[in-house]
């Protein structure tokens, strides 16, 4: 749960620059012994830190892109921003016109963040309440399959079954969740069929 804590604290601890340096060192160490590193985020990524709040999470996505994240699961607080801010951006790193994030779209800010990422956002059990099918948003998928050191690894991302009740109701209108165990089992089978 990064919660938008983009920068280090007053004692110089934490923040994404420290994490990025650690991951770079870890990757170098693993490359030396033939290993690799998968970098994942379990959700509740954006809301909380001032830089993240002002950019509706996009500054965190940019940092994750630079770090080289593998995937991110959508968490309940990732819906907190709601629609994309209709004001013109104050800086060029705040793009507002993203495919799938139309003005008034209740999940617009989250869709904008997902579309900006160089890695997939995962949401296996977040569904369109009217169809029961997983959401179809730009760069959001139930799972991903990555090849790491010659091994095909399947990664499934889910939100807790109560997650959509733990954010602003207006921002998740029209969405529902599937049960975790059944969803993960079905997605794991599909990934294995694809070679995981």
């Amino acid at each position: 749960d990064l919660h938008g804590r983009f920068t280090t604290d007053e004692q110089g601890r934490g923040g994404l620059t420290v994490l990025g340096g650690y991951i770079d060192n870890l990757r170098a160490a693993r490359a030396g012994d033939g290993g690799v590193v998968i970098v994942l985020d379990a959700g509740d990524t954006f809301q909380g830190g001032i830089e993240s709040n002002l950019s509706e999470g996009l500054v965190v996505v940019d940092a994750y892109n630079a770090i080289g994240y593998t995937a991110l699961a959508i968490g309940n607080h990732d819906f907190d921003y709601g629609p994309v801010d209709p004001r013109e951006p104050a800086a060029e790193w705040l793009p507002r016109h993203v495919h799938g994030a139309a003005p008034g779209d209740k999940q617009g800010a989250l869709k904008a963040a997902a579309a900006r990422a160089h890695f997939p956002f995962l949401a296996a059990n977040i569904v369109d309440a009217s169809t029961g099918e997983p959401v179809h948003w730009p760069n959001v998928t139930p799972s991903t399959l990555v090849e790491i050191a010659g091994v095909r690894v399947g990664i499934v991302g889910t939100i807790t079954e109560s997650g959509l009740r733990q954010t602003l109701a207006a921002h998740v209108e029209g969405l529902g969740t599937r049960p975790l165990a059944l969803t993960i089992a079905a997605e794991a089978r599909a990934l294995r069929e694809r070679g995981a």
Side-chain angles (χ1 to χ4, degrees):
D1 289 13
L2 181 72
H3 277 295
R5 292 181 191 94
F6 181 78
T7 58
T8 57
D9 66 15
E10 296 79 27
Q11 289 79 36
R13 295 178 303 204
L16 292 180
T17 55
V18 173
L19 178 62
Y22 173 77
I23 291 171
D24 284 347
N25 290 335
L26 187 57
R27 283 187 175 125
R30 292 306 325 237
D33 66 13
V36 291
V37 175
I38 295 174
V39 184
L40 305 171
D41 187 292
D44 287 0
T45 307
F46 309 115
Q47 182 276 334
I50 189 68
E51 297 87 358
S52 186
N53 287 349
L54 288 172
S55 70
E56 295 182 339
L58 298 181
V59 70
V60 173
V61 171
D62 288 348
Y64 278 20
N65 284 339
I67 291 169
Y69 268 69
T70 307
L72 176 154
I74 294 174
N76 61 302
H77 286 294
D78 298 328
F79 291 94
D80 286 355
Y81 298 127
V84 171
D85 188 339
R87 297 173 293 176
E88 286 300 314
E92 69 179 49
W93 54 270
L94 293 173
R96 297 295 178 207
H97 306 291
V98 177
H99 173 68
D105 183 335
K106 306 261 189 220
Q107 295 90 38
L110 176 56
K111 290 176 185 178
R116 188 177 182 97
H118 299 164
F119 51 89
F121 280 33
L122 306 178
N125 69 328
I126 299 174
V127 298
D128 180 311
S130 64
T131 67
E133 293 300 312
V135 294
H136 296 287
W137 301 338
N139 198 34
V140 175
T141 184
S143 62
T144 190
L145 187 61
V146 296
E147 188 157 331
I148 305 291
V151 177
R152 296 184 78 177
V153 178
I155 303 168
V156 180
T158 60
I159 192 170
T160 59
E161 289 180 44
S162 63
L164 297 183
R165 294 189 304 270
Q166 296 172 332
T167 188
L168 298 170
H171 295 173
V172 294
E173 187 176 309
L175 299 177
T177 55
R178 286 182 176 164
L180 284 172
L182 296 174
T183 301
I184 293 168
E187 201 60 35
R189 278 192 303 275
L191 286 164
R192 287 188 188 100
E193 288 171 7
R194 292 172 48 207

